[in-house]
Amino acid sequence: MSNPDDPRASEPNDPEELRFEYTPSDEPRPEQETENPHAHDTTRVPEVIDALRTEFGEAILDVERYANEDTVYVEKERIQDICRFLKEDQNFEYFVDLGGIDRFTDEDRFEVFYNIVSVERQKRIRLKVRVDENDMRVPSVTDIYRAANWNEREAYDMFGFEFVDHPDPRRMYMPEDFEYHPLRKEFPQLGVPGSLPLPPQTPDGDLTMDPFAAARGSQPRKSYEEPPVDQDSE
């Protein structure tokens, strides 16, 4: 059996699930709120934020300014109403993209972000909703922005969000019977042990079933002799 205090002492045939160690990030410094020469004023939308607060009140949870960009945190349950308001009343007609973030926290572990642009006003806004690991449901916005279709499928595939009322909730990259979501923090960078054999470590060796064999202290058995080096030829 593997030793959790010394993963390198474990046996390759009995792998221990890799652990993820959370590293807290520093709080942004005041000067970082405006440091971003590429952002200009297109990402500053105070008048739109005021309109959102007037229309939706407490559903606008927080506003964060970092690198001269405004990010608006909103209630997950109101994301459809807020997107519809931005499109129909504020002329934010261009849905750029949507994606997920794994914060690896005990509560509200995940975030879904939405980047939306108003071409006419030359402004862009970023919305975020917090999603708890115990309730991965998020209302789909595909009936408001059709471009969100593939973005929501990708976020489901990589993080496991359940976009309610999505018209085509299939995975984008992984097989439908794959049980994991590769962009979650606990997902091993080299993949799930045993799911995909790696090439042999020697020319005539067997497939490597454990992708972490070397990290666990396994030394490949040499089945061939390396050709001698001719010192005079160098």
Side-chain angles (χ1 to χ4, degrees):
M1 190 67 185
S2 58
N3 181 358
D5 296 327
D6 185 6
R8 290 180 179 273
S10 61
E11 294 292 333
N13 293 330
D14 185 16
E16 179 80 14
E17 182 179 353
L18 294 187
R19 296 165 296 176
F20 176 80
E21 303 294 343
Y22 174 69
T23 303
S25 58
D26 296 332
E27 293 294 328
R29 301 187 304 275
E31 62 271 21
Q32 290 178 318
E33 293 183 356
T34 56
E35 284 181 353
N36 186 359
H38 305 290
H40 302 294
D41 290 332
T42 58
T43 53
R44 297 283 299 278
V45 287
E47 67 284 359
V48 179
I49 295 171
D50 289 342
L52 287 172
R53 282 181 165 141
T54 300
E55 184 70 17
F56 297 98
E58 295 181 353
I60 307 304
L61 302 177
D62 194 14
V63 176
E64 180 180 89
R65 179 167 296 164
Y66 179 74
N68 210 31
E69 298 180 356
D70 289 331
T71 299
V72 184
Y73 289 82
V74 306
E75 286 185 353
K76 180 178 71 173
E77 293 77 11
R78 301 297 305 276
I79 186 62
Q80 284 184 316
D81 298 332
I82 291 169
C83 283
R84 186 174 289 105
F85 175 78
L86 287 173
K87 181 179 182 181
E88 297 179 356
D89 289 28
Q90 299 292 318
N91 297 327
F92 281 80
E93 73 282 22
Y94 175 37
F95 189 89
V96 180
D97 62 3
L98 167 159
I101 299 170
D102 184 355
R103 304 164 60 236
F104 211 72
T105 53
D106 290 335
E107 296 181 356
D108 293 336
R109 170 178 169 179
F110 297 97
E111 289 179 345
V112 177
F113 65 84
Y114 307 76
N115 289 316
I116 310 172
V117 163
S118 171
V119 177
E120 178 183 346
R121 300 172 65 172
Q122 298 185 11
K123 293 288 185 180
R124 62 174 60 230
I125 188 171
R126 179 187 298 117
L127 304 177
K128 282 187 176 181
V129 299
R130 290 272 169 84
V131 182
D132 193 84
E133 189 174 6
N134 296 320
D135 182 8
M136 296 294 286
R137 293 174 299 174
V138 181
S140 173
V141 297
T142 52
D143 60 333
I144 303 162
Y145 295 111
R146 292 179 57 191
N149 189 311
W150 282 28
N151 294 127
E152 290 185 351
R153 284 179 55 188
E154 183 182 44
Y156 155 66
D157 196 357
M158 295 293 104
F159 292 95
F161 300 112
E162 179 188 349
F163 290 96
V164 180
D165 295 329
H166 190 287
D168 187 16
R170 290 178 296 157
R171 305 193 79 141
M172 285 285 291
Y173 308 114
M174 311 306 294
E176 286 295 334
D177 59 351
F178 193 65
E179 301 176 3
Y180 307 97
H181 302 283
L183 286 188
R184 290 192 176 195
K185 289 286 182 65
E186 74 274 19
F187 191 85
Q189 289 187 347
L190 293 179
V192 178
S195 64
L196 183 64
L198 297 178
Q201 298 185 50
T202 56
D204 56 351
D206 297 327
L207 291 175
T208 305
M209 302 306 295
D210 179 9
F212 312 113
R216 300 178 194 284
S218 173
Q219 298 296 324
R221 180 178 58 83
K222 282 192 175 182
S223 60
Y224 68 101
E225 293 295 334
E226 295 182 359
V229 177
D230 185 358
Q231 301 293 339
D232 296 335
S233 64
E234 295 184 348

